[in-house]
Amino acid sequence: GGVAVAFFGDGAMEEGVVQESLNFAARHNVPVIFACENNLFSSHLHIGLRQTSDSVARYAIAHGIEAETIDGNDVIVVSEAAQRAVVRGREHGQPTFIEMVTYRWRGHVGPSEDQDVGVERSSDLHLWKERDPIRRLREGLVEVGALSEEEISAMGDRVEKILVDALSRARTAPFPSKGTTSSFLYSTGVRT
């Protein structure tokens, strides 16, 4: 009944290992969800300069894998697509490809908006920020009466406290010993 999930970006679609994984999953009916966060950039290069189409779901379709392209900035749509994919994996043992179209607000590495490294996004970045998935979910929950603004604000305060406490503990925690370097790896063959 298990289903595996692999998260990656649109740039990874240009790597051979992803194509091999799609082929293997399709050939052997592996219950895996390929969750591609298509933010339209690979490092500093827009998808329109790298590929003939801005959608990458076509690669999964070419391998005979059920694929969906969805609004990656809509939490409900993403959840529903994931639920369908889990059912497909569990009940039919089949892979699914979900392309979640979104936009990268910040740099490939670091907190900047990449304006200083040759990525021209000033004309459309503000449009994507208006589609902020967290804000959209918040507004939707208030609109349907699932939560009030006060409840959401109180929840935000609790989360903020948890984060501040965790950061404080992390900053004061002792540095791990060298003996723990392989304690949290999946492979047991790693030697230190």
Side-chain angles (χ1 to χ4, degrees), residues 8 22 25-27 29-30 32-36 56-70 81 84-89 92-99:
F8 51 92
L22 291 169
R27 176 68 183 91
N29 286 321
V30 178
V32 61
I33 301 169
F34 294 96
C36 180
V56 296
R58 68 188 190 281
Y59 293 111
I61 294 167
H63 288 284
I65 294 176
E66 185 77 26
E68 289 189 57
T69 299
I70 61 171
R84 286 189 297 275
V86 167
V87 167
R88 187 174 297 112
H92 306 290
Q94 295 177 341
T96 302
F97 187 94
I98 303 173
E99 176 182 13

Side-chain angles (χ1 to χ4, degrees), residues 8-117:
F8 51 92
D10 54 285
M13 294 304 298
E14 297 158 7
E15 298 292 328
V17 70
V18 174
Q19 300 304 319
E20 293 163 3
S21 298
L22 291 169
N23 183 59
F24 185 89
R27 176 68 183 91
H28 298 285
N29 286 321
V30 178
V32 61
I33 301 169
F34 294 96
C36 180
E37 298 171 15
N38 184 352
N39 66 28
L40 308 176
F41 287 90
S42 177
S43 184
H44 298 91
L45 198 57
H46 189 274
I47 194 169
L49 300 172
R50 303 180 342 256
Q51 297 189 22
T52 58
S53 171
D54 63 0
S55 175
V56 296
R58 68 188 190 281
Y59 293 111
I61 294 167
H63 288 284
I65 294 176
E66 185 77 26
E68 289 189 57
T69 299
I70 61 171
D71 180 355
N73 285 13
D74 187 324
V75 175
I76 303 301
V77 168
V78 171
S79 176
E80 291 169 348
Q83 289 173 34
R84 286 189 297 275
V86 167
V87 167
R88 187 174 297 112
R90 285 188 177 150
E91 293 182 5
H92 306 290
Q94 295 177 341
T96 302
F97 187 94
I98 303 173
E99 176 182 13
M100 298 167 285
V101 180
T102 186
Y103 199 80
R104 191 176 76 207
W105 290 15
R106 298 291 173 178
H108 181 65
V109 178
S112 73
E113 291 187 347
D114 276 349
Q115 300 298 334
D116 58 338
V117 290

Side-chain angles (χ1 to χ4, degrees), residues 63-178:
H63 288 284
I65 294 176
E66 185 77 26
E68 289 189 57
T69 299
I70 61 171
D71 180 355
N73 285 13
D74 187 324
V75 175
I76 303 301
V77 168
V78 171
S79 176
E80 291 169 348
Q83 289 173 34
R84 286 189 297 275
V86 167
V87 167
R88 187 174 297 112
R90 285 188 177 150
E91 293 182 5
H92 306 290
Q94 295 177 341
T96 302
F97 187 94
I98 303 173
E99 176 182 13
M100 298 167 285
V101 180
T102 186
Y103 199 80
R104 191 176 76 207
W105 290 15
R106 298 291 173 178
H108 181 65
V109 178
S112 73
E113 291 187 347
D114 276 349
Q115 300 298 334
D116 58 338
V117 290
V119 177
E120 180 53 51
R121 301 178 323 143
S122 58
S123 61
D124 52 0
L125 180 57
H126 73 283
L127 297 172
W128 282 92
K129 284 186 173 183
E130 290 175 11
R131 302 184 66 239
D132 174 10
I134 296 171
R135 182 187 50 77
R136 289 172 71 188
L137 179 61
R138 176 185 185 134
E139 290 172 356
L141 290 169
V142 170
E143 184 177 313
V144 298
L147 290 172
S148 68
E149 285 288 352
E150 295 76 21
E151 290 170 313
I152 292 174
S153 182
M155 188 184 310
D157 292 343
R158 289 192 303 272
V159 169
E160 180 74 21
K161 182 181 179 339
I162 291 168
L163 293 173
V164 168
D165 291 347
L167 182 60
S168 176
R169 283 192 314 275
R171 287 185 170 155
T172 59
F175 200 76
S177 68
K178 288 183 181 180

